[in-house]
Amino acid sequence: MSYMPVSPGVGMEENFLSLDDILLSQERLPCKTDTEFPGLGFLEKNADSRHIPEGTKMEMPLWLAKGLYERKRRVISVELPKVYREGWRTVFGADANVVDLHKMGPYYYGLGSQMLHFDSPENLEIAQTVLQTFIGRFRRTMDSSQNAYNEDTSMLVERLDCLERALFRQGQSGLNGFQLWEKGRAAQLTASSLVTNYRKRKITDLQA
Amino acid sequence: MFIFWFYLLLLQNVLHILHFSYFSLLFSLVQCLNILNYQHSLSELIPTIKFRHCCLLRNQRCITAYLYDRLLRIRALRWEYGSVLPTTIRFHMCAEELEWFNQYKKSLATYMRSLGGDEGLDITQDMKPPKSLYIEVRCLKDHGEFEIDDGTVILLKKNSQHFLPRWKCEQLIRQGVLEHVMS
């Protein structure tokens, strides 16, 4: 309750210290090198040279792509992952609720916002699609989080991406708090969650 | 689960970050590559240098975020657990974190003393609005003897129930020794 972790950044900004943003920036993107990288041949499994030649296609994590990318386009060019391309965009336009966003990369919204850094000509469409998808799916997420009391929510949460899951969790905690208050249990003093979690972990250490 | 991964990064990379300035890093890298017969000019090596720099920045970010998250949890411990931490938790904290905890405790105590007139106000108490002066509690494990304000000593044995003043029990309930029983 008194542990308030750093929340993920909003939109195109990342929070430096947010653990969620660090995990987000670990996602891989397909890229193409536009210049030679001398001495780094060991990263690419080709038995070729000791350098990474120009035009190599490789997968880079987001943090590396963001760090190396320059507007004057001398270093690397980043391609869009499948989910943000034309084909999938029409799917999202048709019906956003059907898609399993957890499978399509668990960070659909986060990665979509970060892709806007790479000056693709389709930036406007990507941004609009991400926004419309969120608007389309939000109602269902909110409804399910506010009405699933004391039951197994794994089926509801399965197809949600991380941002939606965070929203779902918040909704659930609000619902639980309200129900406790309704039952008159709001004034009941409880053990702190840190203590109970620590104790649970200790018991498993002993058993291991 | 994630903590283990971050801790590993910490062990492997902390020296890298702390002891090399950017230029000495640049220079030593150019020297290394030229010794190995690459013979590239500096401008050709810049992509590689940038690559390495990105990696170092990434490690730095991971380490800093991990240490900061630990600090946030330690701060939460003061509010949830009280000013004296059990030895098992203290064992997992490094000296600097203990030092930080002590300083935080002192700042919080100074602040609490400055509120509410002469005696100060303990804001870590009454986290939920109190409904009554005395509460019914059940003991979850043996805690030995417990003295309340008017001098009576109560033996806290497992599963015994008592009717005690709220402000004395709040700390023990938060620590998980007692359980608040609502009828």
Side-chain angles (χ1 to χ4, degrees):
Chain A
M1 189 184 66
S2 25
Y3 164 63
M4 289 166 287
V6 182
S7 57
V10 181
M12 284 175 68
E13 292 303 314
E14 282 186 61
N15 275 341
F16 184 79
L17 293 171
S18 156
L19 296 177
D20 286 310
D21 274 342
I22 289 178
L23 289 172
L24 159 68
S25 46
Q26 200 61 28
E27 292 280 318
R28 293 184 165 245
L29 301 170
C31 301
K32 190 166 70 78
T33 58
D34 284 335
T35 179
E36 197 195 25
F37 283 85
L40 290 179
F42 63 93
L43 290 176
E44 279 294 293
K45 298 302 179 17
N46 52 357
D48 199 49
S49 61
R50 292 188 284 194
H51 316 306
I52 299 180
E54 194 175 319
T56 322
K57 284 195 188 281
M58 45 193 294
E59 283 212 327
M60 288 189 182
L62 177 71
W63 55 266
L64 191 55
K66 266 175 88 170
L68 290 176
Y69 179 77
E70 265 177 67
R71 194 166 285 248
K72 289 169 234 156
R73 211 145 314 167
R74 202 169 53 99
V75 195
I76 61 169
S77 49
V78 181
E79 290 158 17
L80 294 179
K82 277 200 320 252
V83 229
Y84 304 102
R85 284 190 214 154
E86 191 62 50
W88 273 102
R89 289 210 296 266
T90 42
V91 174
F92 285 122
D95 184 3
N97 275 308
V98 175
V99 189
D100 183 352
L101 274 193
H102 188 71
K103 207 169 52 140
M104 300 281 114
Y107 291 99
Y108 175 73
Y109 300 108
L111 194 58
S113 312
Q114 293 303 312
M115 288 304 299
L116 302 175
H117 280 293
F118 296 119
D119 301 327
S120 148
E122 305 172 48
N123 260 3
L124 186 60
E125 282 90 35
I126 298 172
Q128 279 176 343
T129 311
V130 168
L131 183 61
Q132 291 304 319
T133 316
F134 182 73
I135 291 174
R137 289 169 68 100
F138 174 66
R139 183 77 187 273
R140 191 175 278 197
T141 317
M142 189 176 90
D143 270 343
S144 58
S145 80
Q146 288 297 300
N147 289 300
Y149 182 60
N150 233 2
E151 56 187 58
D152 178 22
T153 53
S154 52
M155 285 307 295
L156 298 164
V157 170
E158 216 176 23
R159 300 161 76 85
L160 301 180
D161 106 317
C162 290
L163 174 69
E164 292 166 337
R165 283 186 189 186
L167 285 173
F168 187 86
R169 269 195 301 269
Q170 289 285 60
Q172 285 277 287
S173 78
L175 178 67
N176 288 332
F178 175 68
Q179 290 298 330
L180 276 183
W181 175 79
E182 264 207 324
K183 294 179 186 167
R185 300 252 302 273
Q188 184 178 25
L189 300 168
T190 46
S192 78
S193 53
L194 290 174
V195 173
T196 36
N197 287 342
Y198 188 73
R199 198 155 292 154
K200 275 187 220 158
R201 212 164 289 134
K202 248 179 48 168
I203 290 176
T204 51
D205 276 329
L206 288 173
Q207 286 172 344
Chain B
M1 178 180 52
F2 305 132
I3 303 295
F4 178 72
W5 182 67
F6 286 135
Y7 190 62
L8 211 61
L9 275 179
L10 176 82
L11 287 176
Q12 287 171 2
N13 296 293
V14 65
L15 273 180
H16 248 121
I17 314 294
L18 296 178
H19 295 294
F20 286 94
S21 73
Y22 182 62
F23 283 113
S24 73
L25 167 124
L26 197 83
F27 192 62
S28 63
L29 188 60
V30 173
Q31 273 190 323
C32 280
L33 289 176
N34 281 332
I35 284 169
L36 296 171
N37 272 330
Y38 289 151
Q39 296 305 327
H40 292 270
S41 66
L42 186 62
S43 60
E44 286 177 28
L45 286 174
I46 280 180
T48 306
I49 292 168
K50 228 178 155 192
F51 191 100
R52 184 164 184 259
H53 194 61
C54 283
C55 297
L56 294 180
L57 286 178
R58 176 66 174 178
N59 287 342
Q60 185 182 49
R61 179 182 183 187
C62 291
I63 292 167
T64 323
Y66 171 64
L67 293 176
Y68 187 70
D69 193 71
R70 277 179 73 106
L71 227 49
L72 290 177
R73 285 173 193 267
I74 292 170
R75 182 178 73 175
L77 280 175
R78 169 63 187 89
W79 287 87
E80 299 279 322
Y81 214 86
S83 15
V84 181
L85 296 177
T87 38
T88 38
I89 294 183
R90 263 216 299 269
F91 178 67
H92 291 301
M93 290 166 56
C94 73
E96 285 85 2
E97 288 170 338
L98 286 170
E99 174 64 35
W100 187 88
F101 183 74
N102 289 330
Q103 294 283 34
Y104 183 76
K105 252 189 342 190
K106 277 197 207 128
S107 305
L108 187 60
T110 316
Y111 176 67
M112 291 199 288
R113 247 196 314 275
S114 71
L115 305 168
D118 274 332
E119 21 177 280
L121 175 68
D122 188 357
I123 49 181
T124 60
Q125 296 285 52
D126 294 331
M127 298 286 252
K128 293 186 182 166
K131 300 285 182 196
S132 57
L133 276 182
Y134 279 70
I135 51 174
E136 185 78 23
V137 292
R138 182 185 303 131
C139 213
L140 292 176
K141 51 184 189 186
D142 287 332
H143 198 251
E145 294 191 335
F146 187 56
E147 183 172 345
I148 45 179
D149 291 339
D150 60 3
T152 29
V153 174
I154 305 211
L155 178 64
L156 295 174
K157 252 181 95 65
K158 186 162 176 174
N159 283 330
S160 61
Q161 259 179 266
H162 308 279
F163 192 62
L164 296 175
R166 185 201 168 87
W167 60 92
K168 283 251 105 179
C169 321
E170 186 160 3
Q171 181 78 310
L172 289 174
I173 293 176
R174 268 220 291 274
Q175 290 175 4
V177 175
L178 299 175
E179 183 189 7
H180 186 183
V181 178
M182 309 215 44
S183 43

